[in-house]
């Protein structure tokens, strides 16, 4: 049997390298039932009937993950008892019912031992049998427990030879060899066989060894695929290079994954573990704001791929209830993963209410899957953030006062893409009430370092539509206009293999949300590359469209670095099947 403390102590090597040096920090609107919780609660309002309309055939996008991670409150003191206690607390607190589903075991679960064939060996005391018939030292025991409560299980490794607790240990000595380098296929297959549903892959080893993150994470994604194929078990992919290597430029859909997240910054706070020396630490609101800012890369966040500003510190020492509310608002308007880092067995009633507010969660999980954009900051620190929602005419808005005095902050309908000539209803999500109907603007006084999270529902300003089969566009590789019975324009362009399509549109002078109207007749998502004005391409995922031939829509955000006399949106699916394009619609707004 492996003895945890003995093994950990054996890992004390001369390599006292500081971890900190590596980690510094539309057009055709259809009536469709909506799953948007905020909208549902609004339906009671007679003035908001339009909430039942969904934006132009929007295909629901895989939402960002919600759950809990062991790192922030347990560091490497994690074991079976901790995980069982936290799993039960996630259920009894009401968080499971609110949508939190992952229990993620972070670093410290494994002490770096392998058998002669390279199979991971885990400490039998740390991970004992939990019921008759189970073997001690088998991670599938704890996975079975997590699954038995209707939840999903996550695990951690590093892309390099060792995880972060070797290079910069927190509690206890450095632990050698807790990375998967040289064992990708073997380890990811093992994780899937144990039954894990989620894997976080850290970069401390990769960083130390100067590996190329884009290449390395693609290789890991392929290993994840192979493990999924062998076991039939899905592993959600979480990348953790802290934004050091601009993951937003290469991580969306890396290695062909259908959903993933990537960290955009360092940790908000180092772990705070009760009854240990590090219990004197506290989370800071400044750190929360800094991670929020570093997490904003809206052009990369779409179709199931998400920027990850880190586990939330809501409910940890250092933040007031008001700051916790702002923190949750920032993650929700970002559409960020909602992974809680606090000790779930100690949450206050106020914290639970913040974490489980259904309308706020609905903004985060909205099935357009896009990130908010800062639409206004007319004076430094008076910020208006906004993102369109899947419900027609619905927009989430955050009025954020980053100054040290109360401030009046105004949002104009034209800034967020609403028709200024029509009135709109304003909902305060934390107050849980409608504030009334307003014409063209809404102004609120926001306390110092505070924010209001709103859903404003009005009439979307007219979008600008460009048909795929327009002669203004550039077709290559044999792409050609074809008849399309279900297309409003009657024509479409299919890409894939050699065939590509470049939309030529009016210059993109600001960040713009774009709906893409397409058909995917297959039963699986199709991946396409999009390059805007010749910039580095990003992978866009096109889920199957309903009924085979019906036109569906996805929404993305596009930006140009150097708008010229026109802008280009070039779509290609080199060597593989691509979607059928009907048109694109540029949504209005001062984004
Ligand atoms: C890094 C990550 C953290 C956590 C630790 C584990 O710091 O950013 O989220 O996984 O490693 O050592």
């Amino acid at each position: 049997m492996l003895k945890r403390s003995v093994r950990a102590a054996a890992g004390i090597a001369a390599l006292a390298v500081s971890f900190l040096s590596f980690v510094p920090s539309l057009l055709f609107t259809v009536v469709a039932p909506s799953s948007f919780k905020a909208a549902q609660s609004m339906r009671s309002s007679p003035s908001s009937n339009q909430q039942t309309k969904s934006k132009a055939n929007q295909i629901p996008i895989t939402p960002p993950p919600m759950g809990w991670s062991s790192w922030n409150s347990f560091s490497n003191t994690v074991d079976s008892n901790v995980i069982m206690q936290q799993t039960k607390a996630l259920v009894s607190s009401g968080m499971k019912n609110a949508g939190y589903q992952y229990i993620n075991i972070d670093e410290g679960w494994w002490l770096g031992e392998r058998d002669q064939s390279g199979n991971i060996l885990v400490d039998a005391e740390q991970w004992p049998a939990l019921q008759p018939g189970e073997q001690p030292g088998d991670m599938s025991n704890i996975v079975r427990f997590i699954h038995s409560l209707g939840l999903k299980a996550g695990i951690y490794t590093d892309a390099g030879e060792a995880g972060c607790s070797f290079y910069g240990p927190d509690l206890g000595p450095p632990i050698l060899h807790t990375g998967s380098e040289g064992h990708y296929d073997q380890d990811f297959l093992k994780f899937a066989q144990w039954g894990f549903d989620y894997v976080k892959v850290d970069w401390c080893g990769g960083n130390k060894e100067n590996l190329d993150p884009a290449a390395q994470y693609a290789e890991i994604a392929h290993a994840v695929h192979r493990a999924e194929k062998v076991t039939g078990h899905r592993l959600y992919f979480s990348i953790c290079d802290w934004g050091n290597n601009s993951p937003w430029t290469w991580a969306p859909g890396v290695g062909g994954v259908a959903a993933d997240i990537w960290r955009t910054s360092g940790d908000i706070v180092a772990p705070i573990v009760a009854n240990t020396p590090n219990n004197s630490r506290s989370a800071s609101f400044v750190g929360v704001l800094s991670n929020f800012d570093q997490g904003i890369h809206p052009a990369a966040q779409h179709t199931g791929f998400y920027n990850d500003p880190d586990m939330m510190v809501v409910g940890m020492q250092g933040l007031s209830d008001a700051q916790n509310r702002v923190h949750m608002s920032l993650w929700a308007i970002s559409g960020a993963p909602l992974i809680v880092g606090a000790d779930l067995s100690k949450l206050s009633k106020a914290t639970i209410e913040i974490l489980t507010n259904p309308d706020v969660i609905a903004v985060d999980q909205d099935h357009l899957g896009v990130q908010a954009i800062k639409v206004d900051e007319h004076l430094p620190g008076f910020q208006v953030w906004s993102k369109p929602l899947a419900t027609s005419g619905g927009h989430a808005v955050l009025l954020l006062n980053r100054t040290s005095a109360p401030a009046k902050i105004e949002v104009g309908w034209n800034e967020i893409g609403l028709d200024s000539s029509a009135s709109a209803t304003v909902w305060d999500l934390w107050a849980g009430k409608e504030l009334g109907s307003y014409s063209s603007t809404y102004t609120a006084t926001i306390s110092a370092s505070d924010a209001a999270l709103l859903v404003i529902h009005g009439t979307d300003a007219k979008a600008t539509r460009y048909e795929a089969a327009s002669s203004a566009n550039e077709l290559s590789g044999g792409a050609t206009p074809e008849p399309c019975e279900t297309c409003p324009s009657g024509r479409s362009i299919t890409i894939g293999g050699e065939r590509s399509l470049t939309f030529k549109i009016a210059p993109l002078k600001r960040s713009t949300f774009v709906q893409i109207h397409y058909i995917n007749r297959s039963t699986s998502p199709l991946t396409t590359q999009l390059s805007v004005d010749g910039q580095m391409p990003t992978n866009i995922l096109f889920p199957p469209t309903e009924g085979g031939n019906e036109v569906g829509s996805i929404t993305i955000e596009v930006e140009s670095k150097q708008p010229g006399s026109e802008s280009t949106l070039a779509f290609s699916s080199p060597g593989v099947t691509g979607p059928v394009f009907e048109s694109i619609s540029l949504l209005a707004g001062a984004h």
Side-chain angles (χ1 to χ4, degrees), residues 56-68:
N57 301 339
Q58 171 68 34
I59 303 292
I61 293 305
T62 305
M66 294 173 66
W68 173 84

Side-chain angles (χ1 to χ4, degrees), residues 19 23 69 71-72 106-108 156 163-166 168 200 202-204 240 242 263 265-267 271 310-311:
F19 169 58
V23 186
S69 164
W71 184 250
N72 279 356
D106 207 283
E107 191 162 27
Y156 165 101
C164 297
S165 285
F166 173 58
K200 169 172 166 182
D202 217 335
W203 189 243
C204 278
C240 183
W242 325 289
R263 282 278 297 275
S265 50
D267 303 0
D310 196 13
M311 278 105 58

Side-chain angles (χ1 to χ4, degrees), residues 68 76 251 365 393 435 462 478:
W68 173 84
N76 52 4
Q365 299 278 299
L435 301 176
K462 197 169 170 359

Side-chain angles (χ1 to χ4, degrees), residues 463-484:
T464 311
R465 180 165 178 255
Y466 295 89
E467 285 179 14
S470 158
S471 57
N473 295 338
E474 191 181 305
L475 302 176
S476 64
T480 184
E482 61 222 17
C484 171

